[in-house]
């Protein structure tokens, strides 16, 4: 088997594996490692393209297969290959492999998974006209149903611009929160058990497990929540600051260094590591341009009382002695 064919098979396996209910952080870490292999992202995109095509054509194909057939007029199975034309050669090769698989494997999966690798952003246009912009190192799944549009944010950050549809609410699950909208624009961030939702346009309702009444958010408001906690906080913010990542800027107002380092580590393979008492609690207000890792660290070090020391496997940030006084 050629390496490209092997990647296609592995991509199909990952698409199935990550849609299982028991998927956990170990699976996501292994998937991230696989995506970094040359050719893996292209293979996964090709598999997704075919999966979406099958999803849309699945009902008609199942209907054709379940029609009664006369034993004396048995027709050979025929597949219309014309729809492969727009998928590209790689995706077409995947489609050939899929159509040769048992029918049970051909049935469309209920969800479509969208991911970005470290340092990557991606825009997804859904069939209903909604648009999703994924930030770096993000994972979410989408299911478009007759009476609802459902998204699960497994990890990461995404900006949603939802097409208006009174008959099909747009429902987003992120941890123990559910966001309900009809047509609006808002940002959802789920990182390390911390959730935030910021509204840029329209209204959203956020329901949290254990709460009787949903929280309604208006433009310029941000809801923050720790997964598993009983309460949420709502504050007024400059909404554009929360989506600065769209234009390559990370904007902070009195945020702890631990949060900033966590964000930067989403972009690069070589991690930043914090050492020293209270270093993670140092506060920062400012703008970081997302370009090279070394350049970002130099800017951060010039704006905060910290030092940066490269090691073989990381960059260590320590608070300077004056920072603790």
């Amino acid at each position: 088997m050629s390496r490209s064919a092997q990647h296609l098979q592995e991509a199909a396996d990952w698409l199935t594996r990550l849609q299982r209910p028991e998927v956990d952080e170990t699976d996501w870490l292994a998937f991230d490692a696989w995506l970094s292999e040359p050719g893996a992202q292209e293979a996964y995109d090709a598999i997704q393209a075919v999966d979406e095509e099958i999803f849309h054509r699945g009902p008609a194909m199942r209907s054709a297969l379940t029609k009664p057939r006369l034993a004396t007029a048995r027709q050979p199975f025929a597949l219309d290959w014309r729809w492969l034309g727009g998928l590209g050669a790689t995706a077409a090769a995947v489609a050939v492999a899929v159509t040769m698989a048992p029918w049970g494997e051909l049935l469309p999966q209920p969800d479509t998974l969208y991911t970005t690798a470290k340092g990557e952003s991606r825009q997804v246009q859904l069939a209903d006209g909604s648009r999703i912009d994924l930030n770096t190192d993000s994972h979410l799944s989408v299911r478009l149903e007759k009476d609802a549009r459902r998204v699960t944010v497994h990890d990461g950050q995404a900006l949603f611009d939802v097409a208006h549809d009174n008959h099909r609410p747009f429902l987003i699950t992120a941890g123990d929160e559910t966001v309900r909208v009809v047509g609006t624009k808002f940002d959802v961030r789920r990182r390390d058990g911390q959730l935030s939702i910021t509204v840029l346009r329209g209204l959203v309702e956020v329901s949290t497990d254990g709460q009787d009444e949903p929280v309604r958010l208006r433009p310029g408001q941000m809801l923050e929540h720790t997964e598993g906690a009983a309460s949420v906080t709502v504050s007024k913010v400059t909404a554009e600051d929360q989506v600065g990542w769209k234009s390559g800027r990370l904007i902070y107002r009195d945020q702890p260094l631990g949060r900033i380092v966590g964000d930067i580590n989403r972009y690069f393979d070589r991690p930043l590591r914090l050492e020293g008492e209270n270093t993670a609690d140092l506060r920062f207000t400012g703008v970081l341009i997302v370009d090279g890792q070394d350049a970002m660290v130099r800017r951060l070090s010039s704006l905060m009382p910290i030092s940066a020391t490269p090691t073989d496997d990381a960059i260590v940030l320590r608070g300077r002695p004056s920072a603790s006084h």
Side-chain angles (χ1 to χ4, degrees), residues 8-213:
L8 292 175
Q9 181 59 59
E10 291 169 350
D13 293 341
W14 275 116
L15 186 66
T16 302
R17 176 177 172 182
L18 294 176
Q19 290 171 354
R20 293 172 180 166
E22 63 271 18
V23 66
D24 58 20
E25 184 178 358
T26 302
D27 295 307
W28 287 116
L29 292 173
F31 178 61
D32 281 339
W34 177 80
L35 274 182
S36 67
E37 297 180 11
Q41 182 68 61
E42 292 78 4
Y44 191 80
D45 288 343
I47 283 286
Q48 279 192 323
V50 174
D51 183 67
E52 291 177 17
E53 185 68 28
I54 293 173
F55 177 84
H56 292 299
R57 294 176 179 270
M61 297 173 74
R62 287 195 299 271
S63 175
L65 286 179
T66 54
K67 287 181 180 178
R69 301 182 183 180
L70 295 177
T72 56
R74 189 173 183 179
Q75 298 294 322
F77 177 76
L79 177 66
D80 184 354
W81 295 98
R82 290 173 294 178
W83 63 272
L84 294 175
L87 295 180
T90 303
V94 181
V96 173
V98 171
T99 55
M100 293 175 66
W103 174 248
E105 298 179 16
L106 180 62
L107 293 177
Q109 298 292 332
D111 298 330
T112 299
L113 178 68
Y114 298 99
T115 71
T116 52
K118 285 190 175 184
E120 179 191 19
S121 60
R122 180 180 183 183
Q123 185 176 100
V124 175
Q125 189 77 35
L126 301 183
D128 70 329
S130 299
R131 188 176 71 242
I132 306 174
D133 291 281
L134 278 74
N135 198 0
T136 177
D137 195 17
S138 297
H139 314 275
L140 61 82
S141 54
V142 178
R143 184 194 312 169
L144 299 181
E145 300 176 338
K146 183 178 180 180
D147 58 351
R149 299 164 289 174
R150 302 181 187 276
V151 174
T152 300
V153 178
H154 302 287
D155 184 58
Q157 186 171 18
L159 177 64
F160 295 85
D161 195 345
V162 178
H164 187 84
D165 188 340
N166 279 326
H167 303 292
R168 288 202 302 170
F170 201 95
L171 304 174
I172 298 177
T173 300
D176 55 2
E177 288 186 336
T178 300
V179 182
R180 179 184 178 93
V181 300
V182 175
T184 186
K185 187 174 184 178
F186 58 99
D187 181 88
V188 176
R189 173 189 168 101
R190 183 187 186 195
R191 303 281 198 196
D192 303 319
Q194 302 296 315
L195 305 174
S196 67
I197 299 160
T198 306
V199 179
L200 285 78
R201 185 185 69 240
L203 298 173
V204 306
E205 286 188 347
V206 183
S207 300
T208 304
D209 289 353
Q211 288 190 336
D212 295 331
E213 295 293 330

Side-chain angles (χ1 to χ4, degrees), residues 204-235:
V204 306
E205 286 188 347
V206 183
S207 300
T208 304
D209 289 353
Q211 288 190 336
D212 295 331
E213 295 293 330
V215 177
R216 175 164 287 191
L217 298 178
R218 293 173 173 77
Q221 289 186 315
M222 178 174 69
L223 179 147
E224 294 179 284
H225 172 65
T226 299
E227 290 185 39
S231 61
V232 301
T233 61
V234 177
S235 57

